[in-house]
Amino acid sequence: MKKACVIGWPIAHSRSPLIHNYWLKRYGIDAVYEKKAVEPKNVALFIANLAASEFIGCNVTIPHKEAAFQAVSKADEIAGRLGAVNTVYIKDGVVCGTNTDGEGFIASLRHAYPAFELKNKTAVIVGAGGAAKAIIGALLDEGVAKIGIINRTRERIHELQTQFGSGIYEISETNSNDTLKSCALLVNTTSMGMEGQPPLELEIQSLGPYALVADIVYTPLETAFLKKAKRQGNPVLDGLGMLLHQAVRGFELWFGVKPEVTAELHALIAGDVQKANKQ
Ligand SMILES: NC(=O)c1ccc[n+]([C@@H]2O[C@H](COP(=O)([O-])OP(=O)(O)OC[C@H]3O[C@@H](n4cnc5c(N)ncnc54)[C@H](OP(=O)(O)O)[C@@H]3O)[C@@H](O)[C@H]2O)c1
């Protein structure tokens, strides 16, 4: 029986098995997807030996995405740009890595707001970590003209400017209102607002009424930041869609079927997140 898995440390929180096993059942594929706790010191070996192991591929989550990039024999252009791999697969016996976080965000946005226009627009990203980088790259690929970044550590904004070029600019307290007024999309990519983390305190009154406000945090499903945006009438996008859509390509690479992100799958994972939040 074919086997795939998600590796991380810790790994108990991962919803990837629920997602992939839902699809395996839906498409009648005789395979299984497991969680595998892999200690940081063992990641390189686990990935290097993947082709000879019982697994046909794996997802990679915190804190192993950078180590996985180093460990694969071949990384594609997107993974190279991010220096991080979240999906590993075997092609012609070679262990290959890619990163689907950026496409997951875009697919989630397209799924929820099919007519939303990104080309030549301005976006504002809160955060400058791995997820921010993936989303910035994907937004630029979609034709977004300018991306303003807000981040606690300013050096990380400068690194993004160096990597992605003149479309990236730093947002300070003095220019934040002007930028928010003209932006089409505002995304929180930090862990602020997540269960157990401080909330994201960002003034958003100056946002235009049609600006889409997204949060990639999905525990809770509706963060205080999204609640605030919703109260003032802005359209919103939660982080669960990104989680579901980033899983699509791995499943297709391993099992040969492009799976659908159905309302039933969304409800299944949302229910699991809500159940965990009540515990
Ligand atoms: N929905 C999805 O599918 C999906 C996918 C990937 C990630 N995520 C979520 O996205 C979040 C970020 O992930 P990541 O991989 O990008 O992490 P990361 O590389 O560690 O980056 C974390 C970012 O959050 C900022 N931050 C964290 N705590 C902060 C605080 N107390 N005050 C101000 N800024 C703070 C950091 O700012 P500094 O630079 O100043 O440290 C940095 O910009 C996590 O919650 C993760 O679960 C969701």
Side-chain angles (χ1 to χ4, degrees):
M1 189 194 280
K2 282 185 175 179
K3 265 185 168 186
C5 66
V6 55
I7 62 166
W9 185 263
I11 195 62
H13 67 282
S14 175
R15 263 96 193 178
S16 291
L18 263 185
I19 298 171
H20 288 281
N21 286 318
Y22 165 86
W23 281 330
L24 287 171
K25 192 166 167 215
R26 180 179 160 95
Y27 296 104
I29 298 169
D30 186 23
V32 67
Y33 184 105
E34 300 173 348
K35 282 178 200 175
K36 203 157 170 55
V38 176
E39 282 186 61
K41 65 176 167 63
N42 296 331
V43 178
L45 197 62
F46 180 88
I47 290 182
N49 288 341
L50 200 69
S53 78
E54 59 184 322
F55 297 107
I56 58 168
C58 67
N59 284 122
V60 181
T61 188
I62 291 170
H64 296 334
K65 291 183 187 180
E66 286 81 13
F69 171 69
Q70 297 297 335
V72 294
S73 300
K74 198 172 165 198
D76 69 3
E77 196 242 318
I78 294 179
R81 169 163 91 179
L82 304 174
V85 154
N86 75 346
T87 303
V88 182
Y89 58 100
I90 317 288
K91 193 172 177 204
D92 302 328
V94 177
V95 180
C96 302
T98 185
N99 193 305
T100 62
D101 278 340
E103 72 189 42
F105 177 77
I106 300 292
S108 164
L109 192 159
R110 294 264 174 255
H111 188 93
Y113 298 96
F116 191 81
E117 190 57 70
L118 286 166
K119 214 168 171 52
N120 298 324
K121 300 287 189 206
T122 296
V124 171
I125 303 288
V126 187
K133 228 194 233 189
I135 291 173
I136 290 167
L139 289 175
L140 291 173
D141 288 347
E142 292 291 313
V144 167
K146 282 177 167 185
I147 303 180
I149 317 280
I150 299 170
N151 195 51
R152 174 179 62 180
T153 308
R154 291 180 61 193
E155 293 74 51
R156 290 184 98 179
I157 304 180
H158 303 151
E159 284 165 23
L160 292 174
Q161 286 175 308
T162 306
Q163 175 167 11
F164 291 106
S166 58
I168 308 298
Y169 64 101
E170 180 176 349
I171 300 185
S172 61
E173 278 169 28
T174 46
N175 68 0
S176 81
N177 275 347
D178 288 344
T179 308
L180 287 180
K181 222 179 271 174
S182 62
C183 87
L185 173 68
L186 169 63
V187 191
N188 173 38
T189 72
T190 73
S191 46
M192 284 186 288
M194 204 170 148
E195 295 287 334
Q197 299 292 319
L200 170 59
E201 314 267 12
L202 179 70
E203 294 303 329
I204 55 171
Q205 296 95 318
S206 54
L207 272 180
Y210 303 113
L212 174 58
V213 179
D215 200 330
I216 70 164
V217 167
Y218 58 87
T219 53
L221 285 177
E222 193 177 52
T223 58
F225 178 57
L226 286 189
K227 278 197 181 118
K228 183 159 80 172
K230 216 169 165 182
R231 268 200 308 273
Q232 70 178 40
N234 286 89
V236 296
L237 180 69
D238 67 42
L240 186 54
M242 175 175 169
L243 177 76
L244 301 178
H245 285 275
Q246 63 76 32
V248 167
R249 199 145 59 90
F251 190 91
E252 188 178 14
L253 285 163
W254 306 320
F255 303 114
V257 176
K258 185 173 183 183
E260 197 189 341
V261 175
T262 58
E264 186 185 38
L265 174 62
H266 190 281
L268 175 74
I269 308 302
D272 190 67
V273 169
Q274 275 154 350
K275 197 169 79 190
N277 285 353
K278 280 190 201 127
Q279 283 169 355

